[in-house]
Amino acid sequence: MKEKDIHSDDAKLDTLLRANRPSPPSLPPRFQENVWRRIEDAEAPVKSESWLDALATLILRPRFALVTAAVLVLTGVLFGTLEGRQAARHEAQMNYLALVAPSSVR
């Protein structure tokens, strides 16, 4: 084959390919607008049905889980201390009454 034949075949092939290039499919009306709306809907936060669901969702996030656990432990320690103090005070009163009061009053 000669150099001239190769170039002429290439030119013919190029024109043939350009003529038979498929046209892009037509998109439905408002396609791009619908795509962007779907993206926005997917990125929007999910609305909870109640405040309790929203609170649970917030607490169960990894960055708040440790803080939530620490608050719960400190709350338990606080209530335990208050209850222990009250029980100790009641026990002290009972011991005092047992020492001071006559046996007939008990």
Side-chain angles (χ1 to χ4, degrees), residues 4-55:
K4 183 179 178 184
D5 289 336
I6 293 173
H7 291 298
S8 67
D9 287 343
D10 284 345
K12 289 178 186 177
L13 182 61
D14 285 344
T15 57
L16 184 62
L17 288 173
R18 284 192 188 113
N20 290 323
R21 182 175 291 170
S23 62
S26 61
L27 297 173
R30 302 175 73 180
F31 175 78
Q32 191 171 12
E33 180 182 328
N34 290 336
V35 168
W36 283 111
R37 185 172 33 91
R38 285 170 130 183
I39 291 171
E40 288 171 355
D41 290 345
E43 291 177 350
V46 178
K47 294 184 180 179
S48 298
E49 294 181 14
S50 70
W51 66 271
L52 191 57
D53 290 337
L55 181 64

